[in-house]
Coordinates of all heavy atoms in Angstrom, one line a residue:
E307 N -43.5 48.9 44.0 CA -44.2 49.0 45.3 C -45.1 47.8 45.6 O -45.2 47.3 46.7 CB -44.9 50.3 45.5 CG -44.1 51.5 45.7 CD -43.4 51.6 47.0 OE1 -43.9 51.0 48.0 OE2 -42.4 52.3 47.2
T308 N -45.8 47.4 44.5 CA -46.8 46.3 44.6 C -46.0 45.0 45.0 O -46.4 44.3 45.9 CB -47.5 46.1 43.3 OG1 -48.3 47.2 43.0 CG2 -48.4 44.8 43.4
V309 N -44.9 44.8 44.4 CA -44.1 43.6 44.7 C -43.5 43.7 46.1 O -43.6 42.7 46.9 CB -43.0 43.4 43.7 CG1 -42.1 42.2 44.1 CG2 -43.6 43.1 42.3
A310 N -42.9 44.8 46.4 CA -42.2 45.0 47.7 C -43.2 44.9 48.9 O -42.9 44.5 50.0 CB -41.5 46.3 47.8
R311 N -44.5 45.3 48.6 CA -45.5 45.3 49.7 C -46.6 44.2 49.3 O -47.8 44.4 49.5 CB -46.2 46.7 49.7 CG -45.2 47.8 50.2 CD -45.8 49.2 50.1 NE -47.0 49.2 50.8 CZ -47.2 49.8 52.0 NH1 -46.2 50.4 52.5 NH2 -48.4 49.8 52.5
W312 N -46.1 43.1 48.9 CA -46.9 42.0 48.4 C -48.0 41.6 49.5 O -49.1 41.2 49.1 CB -46.1 40.8 47.9 CG -45.3 40.1 49.0 CD1 -44.1 40.3 49.4 CD2 -45.8 39.1 49.9 NE1 -43.7 39.5 50.4 CE2 -44.7 38.7 50.7 CE3 -47.0 38.4 50.0 CZ2 -44.9 37.7 51.7 CZ3 -47.2 37.4 50.9 CH2 -46.1 37.1 51.8
E313 N -47.6 41.7 50.7 CA -48.6 41.3 51.8 C -49.8 42.2 51.8 O -50.9 41.7 52.4 CB -47.9 41.3 53.1 CG -46.8 40.1 53.2 CD -45.9 40.3 54.4 OE1 -45.2 41.3 54.4 OE2 -45.9 39.3 55.2
D314 N -49.8 43.4 51.3 CA -50.9 44.2 51.2 C -51.9 43.7 50.1 O -53.1 44.2 50.0 CB -50.5 45.7 50.9 CG -49.8 46.3 52.0 OD1 -49.8 45.8 53.1 OD2 -49.1 47.4 51.7
H315 N -51.4 42.9 49.2 CA -52.2 42.5 48.0 C -52.6 41.0 48.0 O -53.5 40.6 47.4 CB -51.4 42.8 46.7 CG -51.0 44.2 46.6 ND1 -51.9 45.1 46.1 CD2 -49.9 44.8 46.9 CE1 -51.3 46.3 46.1 NE2 -50.0 46.2 46.6
V316 N -51.8 40.2 48.8 CA -52.0 38.7 48.7 C -52.2 38.2 50.2 O -51.3 38.5 51.0 CB -50.8 38.0 48.1 CG1 -51.0 36.5 48.1 CG2 -50.6 38.5 46.6
D317 N -53.2 37.5 50.4 CA -53.5 36.8 51.6 C -53.0 35.4 51.5 O -53.8 34.5 51.1 CB -54.9 36.9 52.0 CG -55.2 36.3 53.4 OD1 -54.4 35.6 54.0 OD2 -56.4 36.5 53.9
L318 N -51.7 35.1 51.6 CA -51.1 33.8 51.4 C -51.8 32.7 52.2 O -52.1 31.7 51.7 CB -49.6 33.9 51.6 CG -48.8 32.6 51.3 CD1 -49.1 32.2 49.8 CD2 -47.4 32.8 51.5
P319 N -51.9 32.9 53.5 CA -52.6 31.8 54.3 C -54.0 31.4 53.8 O -54.3 30.3 53.7 CB -52.6 32.4 55.7 CG -51.5 33.4 55.8 CD -51.5 34.0 54.4
R320 N -54.8 32.5 53.4 CA -56.1 32.2 52.9 C -56.0 31.4 51.5 O -56.8 30.4 51.3 CB -56.9 33.5 52.7 CG -58.4 33.2 52.3 CD -59.2 34.5 52.2 NE -59.5 34.5 50.8 CZ -59.4 35.6 50.0 NH1 -58.9 36.7 50.5 NH2 -59.7 35.5 48.8
E321 N -55.1 31.8 50.7 CA -55.0 31.1 49.4 C -54.5 29.7 49.6 O -55.0 28.7 49.0 CB -54.0 31.8 48.5 CG -53.9 31.3 47.1 CD -55.1 31.6 46.2 OE1 -56.0 32.4 46.7 OE2 -55.2 31.0 45.2
Q322 N -53.6 29.5 50.5 CA -53.1 28.1 50.8 C -54.2 27.3 51.4 O -54.3 26.1 51.1 CB -51.9 28.2 51.8 CG -50.7 28.7 51.2 CD -49.6 29.0 52.2 OE1 -49.8 29.6 53.3 NE2 -48.4 28.5 51.9
S323 N -55.1 27.9 52.2 CA -56.2 27.2 52.8 C -57.2 26.7 51.7 O -57.7 25.6 51.7 CB -56.9 28.1 53.8 OG -58.1 27.4 54.3
R324 N -57.5 27.6 50.7 CA -58.3 27.3 49.6 C -57.8 26.1 48.8 O -58.5 25.2 48.3 CB -58.5 28.5 48.7 CG -59.4 29.6 49.3 CD -59.6 30.7 48.3 NE -60.3 30.3 47.1 CZ -60.2 30.9 46.0 NH1 -59.4 31.9 45.8 NH2 -60.9 30.5 44.9
I325 N -56.5 26.2 48.6 CA -55.8 25.1 47.8 C -55.9 23.8 48.5 O -56.3 22.8 47.9 CB -54.3 25.5 47.6 CG1 -54.2 26.7 46.6 CG2 -53.5 24.3 47.1 CD1 -52.9 27.3 46.5
R326 N -55.7 23.8 49.8 CA -55.9 22.5 50.6 C -57.3 22.1 50.6 O -57.6 20.9 50.4 CB -55.4 22.8 52.0 CG -53.9 22.7 52.2 CD -53.6 22.6 53.7 NE -54.0 23.8 54.5 CZ -53.4 24.9 54.5 NH1 -52.3 25.1 53.9 NH2 -53.9 25.9 55.2
E327 N -58.3 23.0 50.8 CA -59.7 22.6 50.8 C -60.1 22.0 49.5 O -61.0 21.1 49.5 CB -60.6 23.8 51.1 CG -60.5 24.3 52.5 CD -61.2 25.7 52.7 OE1 -61.9 26.2 51.8 OE2 -61.0 26.3 53.8
L328 N -59.6 22.5 48.4 CA -60.0 21.9 47.1 C -59.2 20.7 46.7 O -59.4 20.1 45.6 CB -59.9 23.0 46.0 CG -60.8 24.2 46.2 CD1 -60.4 25.4 45.2 CD2 -62.3 23.8 45.9
G329 N -58.2 20.4 47.5 CA -57.4 19.2 47.2 C -56.5 19.4 46.0 O -56.2 18.5 45.2
L330 N -56.0 20.6 45.8 CA -55.1 21.0 44.7 C -53.6 20.8 45.0 O -53.3 20.9 46.2 CB -55.4 22.4 44.2 CG -56.8 22.7 43.8 CD1 -57.0 24.2 43.6 CD2 -57.3 21.9 42.6
K331 N -52.8 20.7 44.0 CA -51.4 20.7 44.1 C -50.9 21.8 43.2 O -51.6 22.1 42.2 CB -50.8 19.4 43.6 CG -51.1 18.2 44.5 CD -50.5 16.9 43.9 CE -51.6 16.4 43.1 NZ -51.6 15.1 42.5
L332 N -49.8 22.4 43.5 CA -49.2 23.4 42.7 C -48.0 22.9 42.0 O -47.1 22.3 42.6 CB -48.8 24.7 43.5 CG -50.0 25.4 44.2 CD1 -49.4 26.6 45.0 CD2 -51.0 25.9 43.2
L333 N -47.9 23.2 40.7 CA -46.7 22.9 39.9 C -46.1 24.2 39.4 O -46.8 25.0 38.8 CB -47.0 22.0 38.7 CG -47.4 20.6 38.9 CD1 -47.7 19.9 37.6 CD2 -46.4 19.8 39.7
T334 N -44.8 24.4 39.6 CA -44.1 25.5 39.0 C -43.3 25.0 37.8 O -43.1 23.8 37.6 CB -43.1 26.1 40.0 OG1 -42.0 25.3 40.2 CG2 -43.8 26.5 41.3
R335 N -42.8 25.9 37.0 CA -42.0 25.5 35.9 C -40.8 24.7 36.3 O -40.2 24.0 35.4 CB -41.5 26.8 35.1 CG -42.6 27.5 34.4 CD -42.0 28.6 33.6 NE -42.8 29.8 33.7 CZ -42.6 30.9 33.0 NH1 -41.5 30.9 32.2 NH2 -43.3 31.9 33.1
E336 N -40.4 24.8 37.5 CA -39.2 24.1 38.0 C -39.5 22.6 38.3 O -38.6 21.8 38.5 CB -38.6 24.8 39.2 CG -38.1 26.2 38.8 CD -37.7 27.0 40.0 OE1 -37.7 26.5 41.1 OE2 -37.3 28.2 39.8
D337 N -40.8 22.3 38.4 CA -41.2 20.9 38.8 C -41.0 20.0 37.6 O -41.3 20.4 36.4 CB -42.6 20.9 39.3 CG -42.8 21.5 40.6 OD1 -41.9 21.3 41.5 OD2 -43.7 22.3 40.8
D338 N -40.6 18.7 37.8 CA -40.4 17.7 36.7 C -41.7 17.5 36.0 O -41.7 17.1 34.8 CB -39.9 16.4 37.3 CG -38.5 16.5 37.7 OD1 -37.8 17.4 37.3 OD2 -38.0 15.7 38.5
L339 N -42.9 17.6 36.6 CA -44.1 17.3 36.0 C -44.8 18.5 35.2 O -45.8 18.3 34.6 CB -45.1 16.7 37.0 CG -44.8 15.3 37.6 CD1 -45.8 14.9 38.6 CD2 -44.7 14.3 36.5
F340 N -44.2 19.6 35.4 CA -44.7 20.8 34.6 C -44.4 20.5 33.1 O -43.4 20.1 32.7 CB -43.9 22.1 35.0 CG -44.6 23.3 34.5 CD1 -45.4 24.0 35.3 CD2 -44.3 23.8 33.2 CE1 -46.0 25.2 34.9 CE2 -44.9 25.0 32.8 CZ -45.8 25.7 33.6
P341 N -45.5 20.7 32.3 CA -45.3 20.3 30.9 C -44.2 21.0 30.2 O -44.1 22.3 30.2 CB -46.7 20.7 30.3 CG -47.6 20.8 31.4 CD -46.8 21.2 32.6
P342 N -43.2 20.3 29.7 CA -42.0 20.9 29.1 C -42.2 21.8 28.0 O -41.6 22.9 27.8 CB -41.1 19.7 28.8 CG -41.9 18.5 28.8 CD -43.1 18.8 29.6
L343 N -43.2 21.5 27.1 CA -43.5 22.4 26.0 C -44.1 23.7 26.4 O -43.9 24.7 25.9 CB -44.3 21.6 24.9 CG -43.6 20.5 24.2 CD1 -44.6 19.8 23.3 CD2 -42.4 21.0 23.4
L344 N -45.0 23.6 27.4 CA -45.6 24.8 28.0 C -44.5 25.7 28.6 O -44.6 26.9 28.5 CB -46.7 24.4 29.0 CG -47.4 25.5 29.7 CD1 -48.1 26.4 28.7 CD2 -48.4 25.0 30.7
A345 N -43.5 25.1 29.3 CA -42.5 25.9 29.9 C -41.7 26.7 28.9 O -41.1 27.7 29.3 CB -41.6 24.9 30.7
Q346 N -41.7 26.3 27.7 CA -40.9 27.0 26.7 C -41.6 28.2 26.1 O -41.0 29.0 25.4 CB -40.6 26.0 25.5 CG -39.6 24.9 25.9 CD -39.4 24.0 24.7 OE1 -39.6 24.3 23.6 NE2 -39.0 22.8 25.1
V347 N -42.9 28.3 26.4 CA -43.7 29.5 25.9 C -43.2 30.7 26.7 O -43.1 30.7 27.9 CB -45.2 29.2 26.1 CG1 -46.0 30.5 25.8 CG2 -45.6 28.0 25.3
P348 N -42.9 31.8 26.0 CA -42.4 33.0 26.7 C -43.3 33.5 27.9 O -42.7 34.0 28.9 CB -42.3 34.1 25.6 CG -42.2 33.3 24.3 CD -43.0 32.0 24.6
D349 N -44.6 33.4 27.7 CA -45.4 33.9 28.8 C -46.2 32.8 29.5 O -47.3 32.9 29.9 CB -46.4 35.0 28.3 CG -47.3 34.5 27.2 OD1 -47.1 33.4 26.6 OD2 -48.3 35.2 26.9

Side-chain angles (χ1 to χ4, degrees):
E307 285 290 338
T308 297
V309 175
R311 298 172 52 103
W312 66 266
E313 291 167 298
D314 295 344
H315 303 277
V316 176
D317 184 346
L318 184 58
R320 190 177 111 229
E321 189 70 11
Q322 291 172 311
S323 176
R324 288 180 65 206
I325 289 166
R326 279 191 303 277
E327 287 170 11
L328 294 170
L330 303 173
K331 292 174 270 187
L332 297 179
L333 290 181
T334 71
R335 290 188 220 185
E336 298 170 3
D337 291 315
D338 289 340
L339 291 176
F340 194 94
L343 292 176
L344 179 58
Q346 293 176 22
V347 175
D349 62 345

